[in-house]
Coordinates of all heavy atoms in Angstrom, one line a residue:
F6 N 3.1 -1.2 0.0 CA 2.6 -2.1 -1.1 C 3.8 -2.4 -2.0 O 4.6 -1.5 -2.3 CB 1.4 -1.5 -1.9 CG 0.2 -1.6 -1.1 CD1 -0.3 -0.6 -0.3 CD2 -0.6 -2.8 -1.1 CE1 -1.4 -0.6 0.4 CE2 -1.8 -2.9 -0.3 CZ -2.2 -1.8 0.4
R11 N 8.0 -2.7 -8.5 CA 8.2 -1.5 -7.7 C 7.9 -1.8 -6.3 O 7.1 -2.7 -5.9 CB 7.3 -0.3 -8.2 CG 7.7 0.0 -9.6 CD 7.0 1.2 -10.2 NE 7.5 2.4 -9.6 CZ 7.0 3.6 -9.8 NH1 5.9 3.7 -10.5 NH2 7.6 4.7 -9.2
E21 N -3.0 5.4 4.8 CA -2.0 6.3 4.0 C -1.3 5.5 3.0 O -1.1 5.9 1.8 CB -1.0 7.0 4.9 CG -0.1 7.9 4.2 CD -0.7 9.1 3.6 OE1 -1.8 9.5 4.0 OE2 -0.1 9.7 2.7
A22 N -0.9 4.2 3.3 CA -0.3 3.4 2.3 C -1.2 3.1 1.2 O -0.8 3.0 0.0 CB 0.2 2.1 3.0
Q23 N -2.5 2.8 1.5 CA -3.5 2.6 0.5 C -3.7 3.8 -0.4 O -3.8 3.7 -1.6 CB -4.8 2.2 1.1 CG -4.8 0.8 1.8 CD -6.0 0.5 2.5 OE1 -6.7 1.4 3.0 NE2 -6.3 -0.8 2.7
A24 N -3.7 5.0 0.2 CA -3.9 6.2 -0.6 C -2.8 6.5 -1.5 O -3.0 7.0 -2.6 CB -4.1 7.4 0.4
Q25 N -1.6 6.1 -1.1 CA -0.4 6.3 -2.0 C -0.1 5.2 -2.9 O 0.8 5.3 -3.7 CB 0.8 6.6 -1.1 CG 0.6 7.8 -0.2 CD 0.4 9.1 -0.9 OE1 1.1 9.3 -2.0 NE2 -0.4 9.9 -0.4
A26 N -0.8 4.1 -2.9 CA -0.5 2.9 -3.7 C -0.6 3.2 -5.2 O 0.2 2.6 -6.0 CB -1.5 1.8 -3.4
S27 N -1.4 4.1 -5.6 CA -1.5 4.4 -7.0 C -0.2 5.0 -7.6 O 0.1 4.9 -8.8 CB -2.6 5.4 -7.3 OG -2.4 6.7 -6.7
N28 N 0.6 5.6 -6.7 CA 1.9 6.2 -7.2 C 2.9 5.1 -7.7 O 3.7 5.5 -8.6 CB 2.6 6.9 -6.0 CG 1.8 8.1 -5.6 OD1 1.1 8.7 -6.4 ND2 2.1 8.6 -4.4
I29 N 2.7 3.9 -7.3 CA 3.6 2.8 -7.8 C 2.8 1.8 -8.7 O 3.3 0.8 -9.1 CB 4.3 2.1 -6.7 CG1 3.4 1.3 -5.8 CG2 5.2 3.0 -5.9 CD1 4.0 0.3 -4.9
G30 N 1.5 2.1 -8.9 CA 0.7 1.2 -9.7 C 0.3 0.0 -9.0 O 0.1 -1.1 -9.6
A31 N 0.1 0.1 -7.7 CA -0.3 -1.1 -6.9 C -1.8 -1.2 -6.7 O -2.3 -2.3 -6.3 CB 0.4 -1.0 -5.5
G32 N -2.6 -0.2 -7.0 CA -4.0 -0.2 -6.8 C -4.5 1.2 -6.6 O -3.8 2.2 -6.8
F33 N -5.8 1.3 -6.1 CA -6.3 2.6 -5.9 C -7.4 2.5 -4.7 O -7.9 1.5 -4.4 CB -7.0 3.2 -7.1 CG -8.2 2.4 -7.6 CD1 -9.5 2.8 -7.2 CD2 -8.0 1.3 -8.4 CE1 -10.6 2.0 -7.7 CE2 -9.1 0.6 -8.9 CZ -10.4 1.0 -8.5
L34 N -7.6 3.7 -4.1 CA -8.5 3.8 -3.0 C -9.8 4.4 -3.6 O -9.8 5.5 -4.2 CB -8.0 4.7 -1.9 CG -8.8 4.8 -0.6 CD1 -8.9 3.4 0.0 CD2 -8.1 5.7 0.3
F41 N -10.1 -0.2 -0.7 CA -8.9 -0.3 -1.5 C -9.0 -1.4 -2.5 O -9.4 -2.5 -2.1 CB -7.7 -0.5 -0.6 CG -6.4 -0.6 -1.4 CD1 -5.9 0.5 -2.0 CD2 -5.8 -1.8 -1.5 CE1 -4.7 0.4 -2.7 CE2 -4.6 -1.9 -2.2 CZ -4.1 -0.8 -2.8
V42 N -8.7 -1.1 -3.7 CA -8.7 -2.1 -4.8 C -7.2 -2.4 -5.2 O -6.6 -1.5 -5.8 CB -9.5 -1.7 -6.0 CG1 -9.5 -2.7 -7.0 CG2 -11.0 -1.4 -5.5
Y44 N -4.3 -4.1 -7.5 CA -4.1 -4.7 -8.8 C -3.5 -6.1 -8.6 O -2.9 -6.4 -7.6 CB -3.2 -3.8 -9.7 CG -3.8 -2.5 -10.0 CD1 -3.1 -1.3 -10.0 CD2 -5.2 -2.3 -10.3 CE1 -3.6 -0.1 -10.3 CE2 -5.7 -1.1 -10.6 CZ -4.9 0.0 -10.6 OH -5.5 1.3 -10.8

Side-chain angles (χ1 to χ4, degrees):
F6 285 95
R11 299 184 77 184
E21 182 65 21
Q23 291 173 334
Q25 299 299 321
S27 64
N28 293 338
I29 65 162
F33 66 94
L34 190 58
F41 179 71
V42 179
Y44 296 138

